[in-house]
Amino acid sequence: MKFKYILEGTLGLAIAASVFSCKPSGQGAAGGNLIAGDAAQKVYVAPGTHDEFYNIVSGGFNGQVSIVGLPSGRTLKIIPVFSQNGENGWGYSEETKPMLNTSNGFIPWDDAHHPALSITNGEHDGRWAFINGNNTPRIARISLSTFKTEEIIELPNSAGNHSSPFITFNTEYAVAGTRFAVPPDNVGDVPIDSYKQNFKGYLSFVSIDKETGKMAIKFQLKTPGIDYDLARGGKGPSKDWIFFSSYNTEQANTLLEVNASQKDKDFILAINWKKAEEYLAAGKGKMAPGKHAHNYWNEETHSATSEIINEVMTLDPADCPDMLYFIPCPKSPHGCDVDPTGKYIIGSGKLAAVVPVFSFEKLQKAIKDKNFDGEFEGIPVVNYDAALYGELQKPGLGPLHTEFDANGNAYTSMFVSSEIVKWNIENLEVLDRVPTYYSIGHLSVPGGPTTKPHGKYVIAYNKITKDRYLPTGPELTHSAQLYDISGDKMKLLLDFPTIGEPHYAEAIPAALIKDNIKKIYELEKNGHPYAAKGEKETRVERKGKEVHVYMTSSRSHFAPDNIEGVKLGDVVYFHVTNLEQDWDVPHGFAIRKANNAEILVMPGETATLKWVPEKVGIVPFYCTDFCSALHQEMQGYIRVSPA
Ligand code: CUK
Ligand code: CUA
């Protein structure tokens, strides 16, 4: 979404100037009358008390998810998702390594953009969070009970999974587009300039099991080779539909900043996914090549499994009429949002001077009356005016994303003019605008993408943050800003730093998940094949060159803590079971010269660190988590003898 330069190039210096005209001179101007005692009180969460909302924030290029309390802005936890995390062994322990497997092997990093929470009847249900991996196209599912990544699925025939995950009305699917049109798996070596013939955009419908949340790629839709951007599932009357913004309908494969901005209008792709299911049931789908990894966590054995799947069910719109429609949308639409009633679809053209609001009812009528302006690669293009409810005039510059409150108002982020604009959907009237420092990308109202917005705040996630915090060298702190939206006028309450680049975020009332939080893994239920559930079960077992240490940890010792009989050339597996059953007594385990990180083992859990000794000698190991007054004594030795 870093199209600042495109905008400057296209719209001229006036806009560039406007970006910087928002810049306050020094600290005071940003705050002024806004940062008063009143604001401080509104974000103050007294020591020992809890925040009202969980904010689930993308970590961008750190590949993880941050959990932030609101309104305080305090970071509570980093959930490792796509990137290895030495702090707790994610992607280092034997149990978690398979989570980062892909069809290209182990990939310990990704770029995570858009968290999305599970919904039931369009309302937050507090069960799972989903997030995309942008670089290697993947979707992850995080449990909001353990705050742990439980599953990662790769998307075949896709490249650049920017446009996901978008959740349908009852979390039937997490839907994903593909940012880059690419030749699918079954097309071999082709020239880049054969884009128009060979490049396609496969949209993935990842089904979510109602009970377990388990994901599977139920089908892919073959769509024209253009770039798909953001989407929203429909609600209420539109609940069987999903709407994707798309750009580069010019199908340019070079210099997109110029060549993909030629047309006055690009498209919103409206998909009737219920219809797609009917076609599948009628046998219209075909299996096609689609190699992808599917990795999931087994709560019983506390280990992940990775499997590679080679095929995927595919629907070709050529065989499935009345399923897909294009709606023209001004100039490179980015965000595409559906209001809480499900009646309005809002497109935000990055380069557009208006924000178009489409009516779902009018869209249906236009489809029924075949009020089309031709077609694009076989997909009918609905007449713009026939689907349009109206246009928000003079919204601001560079509209990106829209969230909603429960009172019929929309909040749209304006990247170029660096502001949030509040407007009324039905009468298309701007009600208020506040500057953001600087250049907001996404924004989030708690419950904003659902049928029941919780309202209260809007949070700006900024892209080009300068001057808001003490400088920290060439790399500056990323920033979010919290605004009060309980009154007519928005009020800036708080700046808070974020970890990594914050793209999107969702916020959910703590009350909706707090009671489901898992506090402890019960030791009796530990089904890990290498668990030692008491010190009597600890032992060292040799299997050829492999040495398995069944180890336990409890305050404040390891058993065994002296290990002999290991030879150079052996591969040692430390299987550490934490015997504690008190909340918040993890033990860590680290060993010198490990080609590895520590492992942090929660009470009742077993985790495994693989260690390949490099030379003969005595090597110490120790507990890394300060677990008791005798934590410093929690250590041991392993002896490595000549082969
Ligand atoms: S987006 Cu990812 S680059 Cu979600 Cu507006 Cu910014
Ligand atoms: Cu166990 Cu420190």
Side-chain angles (χ1 to χ4, degrees):
M1 202 223 52
K2 288 186 172 155
F3 44 79
K4 185 186 144 222
Y5 302 104
I6 305 174
L7 289 163
E8 286 174 3
T10 312
L11 301 181
L13 279 173
I15 289 172
S18 78
V19 173
F20 299 104
S21 69
C22 313
K23 181 172 183 167
S25 52
Q27 287 187 329
N33 55 346
L34 299 171
I35 309 298
D38 178 41
Q41 225 169 49
K42 284 191 166 146
V43 301
Y44 182 68
V45 176
T49 62
H50 292 171
D51 277 290
E52 188 183 350
F53 292 96
Y54 285 101
N55 195 195
I56 291 134
V57 186
S58 104
F61 42 66
N62 86 356
Q64 321 291 45
V65 161
S66 316
I67 304 295
V68 175
L70 294 179
S72 73
R74 299 179 292 193
T75 298
L76 309 177
K77 185 182 171 67
I78 306 293
I79 301 175
V81 185
F82 295 113
S83 297
Q84 276 179 308
N85 193 20
E87 182 186 341
N88 52 17
W90 179 257
Y92 290 98
S93 71
E94 292 307 294
E95 289 77 5
T96 58
K97 276 181 189 169
M99 291 299 279
L100 302 182
N101 197 32
T102 73
S103 61
N104 299 112
F106 181 81
I107 298 186
W109 171 84
D110 215 313
D111 179 17
H113 281 225
H114 305 120
L117 303 187
S118 57
I119 47 179
T120 300
N121 281 323
E123 290 178 42
H124 276 160
D125 58 22
R127 303 178 72 192
W128 305 297
F130 300 86
I131 190 161
N132 62 321
N134 195 358
N135 186 47
T136 302
R138 288 178 279 183
I139 293 179
R141 179 175 55 82
I142 297 164
S143 158
L144 292 180
S145 165
T146 56
F147 285 70
K148 201 165 166 158
T149 305
E150 287 189 330
E151 194 173 7
I152 295 180
I153 195 162
E154 192 181 351
L155 309 173
N157 299 312
S158 305
N161 173 36
H162 184 258
S163 56
S164 92
F166 309 107
I167 307 299
T168 55
F169 198 62
N170 277 297
T171 317
E172 296 94 341
Y173 296 101
V175 187
T178 174
R179 167 179 172 179
F180 306 105
V182 283
D185 275 15
N186 57 1
V187 172
D189 177 33
V190 293
I192 300 174
D193 66 9
S194 71
Y195 187 109
K196 284 190 187 169
Q197 303 92 275
N198 288 320
F199 289 35
K200 293 287 162 207
Y202 280 83
L203 308 189
S204 305
F205 282 73
V206 179
S207 60
I208 314 291
D209 184 89
K210 272 200 162 21
E211 300 304 315
T212 62
K214 206 150 173 201
M215 301 191 284
I217 300 188
K218 187 147 173 215
F219 65 98
Q220 289 198 307
L221 272 186
K222 182 180 170 190
T223 59
I226 53 179
D227 296 7
Y228 295 89
D229 212 352
L230 293 151
R232 282 289 180 217
K235 310 174 171 88
S238 57
K239 69 178 169 40
D240 298 341
W241 291 68
I242 184 159
F243 306 91
F244 271 91
S245 68
S246 66
Y247 59 103
N248 192 19
T249 45
E250 295 83 356
Q251 300 184 300
N253 54 274
T254 174
L255 248 188
L256 261 63
E257 65 169 331
V258 178
N259 294 333
S261 309
Q262 304 286 316
K263 292 194 187 167
D264 186 46
K265 292 199 173 60
D266 289 287
F267 293 134
I268 285 173
L269 175 62
I271 303 167
N272 182 340
W273 59 261
K274 270 273 152 93
K275 209 52 187 218
E277 287 187 332
E278 286 167 21
Y279 284 125
L280 277 182
K284 293 280 184 192
K286 290 192 186 83
M287 288 310 273
K291 194 174 175 190
H292 62 283
H294 178 211
N295 314 329
Y296 48 92
W297 187 251
N298 181 328
E299 199 52 19
E300 219 170 88
T301 59
H302 262 254
S303 338
T305 307
S306 175
E307 58 192 21
I308 299 287
I309 298 159
N310 287 305
E311 288 186 317
V312 64
M313 179 61 77
T314 307
L315 275 183
D316 188 334
D319 311 326
C320 310
D322 306 326
M323 179 175 71
L324 304 183
Y325 301 91
F326 280 123
I327 312 169
C329 187
K331 282 269 177 217
S332 301
H334 183 57
C336 180
D337 296 287
V338 179
D339 87 310
T341 68
K343 291 201 270 189
Y344 303 106
I345 301 129
I346 293 158
S348 295
K350 294 172 289 204
L351 306 174
V354 297
V355 172
V357 178
F358 298 98
S359 151
F360 183 71
E361 205 184 316
K362 286 184 76 180
L363 172 69
Q364 294 307 302
K365 183 161 186 312
I367 289 171
K368 214 171 126 231
D369 299 346
K370 300 213 181 311
N371 197 343
F372 301 143
D373 290 341
E375 51 172 51
F376 184 85
E377 293 198 8
I379 296 169
V381 176
V382 175
N383 176 272
Y384 178 71
D385 291 310
L388 188 73
Y389 171 74
E391 291 172 340
L392 177 72
Q393 301 293 328
K394 300 211 174 109
L397 298 173
L400 293 188
H401 302 283
T402 301
E403 293 263 313
F404 307 92
D405 67 17
N407 309 315
N409 301 314
Y411 300 78
T412 302
S413 55
M414 301 289 163
F415 176 74
V416 177
S417 52
S418 189
E419 60 187 336
I420 299 175
V421 173
K422 173 182 177 181
W423 52 284
N424 184 276
I425 304 167
E426 294 215 319
N427 56 33
L428 297 167
E429 196 187 310
V430 171
L431 301 173
D432 190 23
R433 45 180 84 235
V434 286
T436 58
Y437 305 99
Y438 307 96
S439 294
I440 181 173
H442 281 270
L443 76 180
S444 167
V445 172
T450 74
T451 50
K452 283 243 168 77
H454 316 297
K456 239 175 157 167
Y457 304 108
V458 64
I459 305 111
Y461 302 93
N462 300 325
K463 293 297 186 189
I464 307 176
T465 298
K466 295 180 181 73
D467 293 353
R468 301 303 283 186
Y469 303 100
L470 286 173
T472 50
E475 189 186 348
L476 293 165
T477 306
H478 287 280
S479 157
Q481 296 184 290
L482 180 81
Y483 298 80
D484 181 354
I485 56 166
S486 58
D488 287 344
K489 297 287 169 196
M490 295 176 278
K491 276 193 200 129
L492 176 60
L493 299 177
L494 180 73
D495 285 6
F496 62 93
T498 61
I499 315 265
E501 182 182 355
H503 287 269
Y504 187 49
E506 280 207 44
I508 179 169
L512 284 179
I513 40 183
K514 231 163 60 179
D515 297 338
N516 306 325
I517 299 289
K518 186 170 188 95
K519 292 189 170 172
I520 213 120
Y521 299 116
E522 289 162 67
L523 191 59
E524 312 97 80
K525 290 194 184 157
N526 179 330
H528 193 291
Y530 291 95
K533 296 193 196 177
E535 287 191 15
K536 280 203 201 100
E537 295 178 17
T538 61
R539 62 200 182 274
V540 179
E541 273 179 9
R542 174 176 285 281
K543 282 188 205 155
K545 290 271 180 205
E546 288 182 9
V547 176
H548 293 270
V549 183
Y550 292 71
M551 185 182 266
T552 60
S553 60
S554 54
R555 277 162 289 181
S556 294
H557 64 277
F558 292 109
D561 62 359
N562 279 206
I563 300 160
E564 306 216 354
V566 172
K567 294 198 180 72
L568 203 59
D570 286 343
V571 176
V572 182
Y573 293 87
F574 295 99
H575 307 286
V576 183
T577 302
N578 181 346
L579 297 179
E580 307 283 353
Q581 288 289 268
D582 290 329
W583 197 17
D584 196 27
V585 190
H587 293 286
F589 177 89
I591 178 161
R592 190 180 153 184
K593 288 192 216 109
N595 37 9
N596 239 320
E598 72 158 340
I599 45 176
L600 193 63
V601 193
M602 292 302 130
E605 196 186 25
T606 304
T608 302
L609 190 68
K610 179 181 168 183
W611 184 67
V612 185
E614 286 153 359
K615 60 179 185 183
V616 170
I618 305 286
V619 185
F621 52 83
Y622 74 105
C623 170
T624 47
D625 189 289
F626 205 110
C627 47
S628 75
L630 296 173
H631 154 78
Q632 195 68 2
E633 283 73 10
M634 194 164 172
Q635 63 183 51
Y637 294 102
I638 183 166
R639 175 180 167 197
V640 181
S641 305

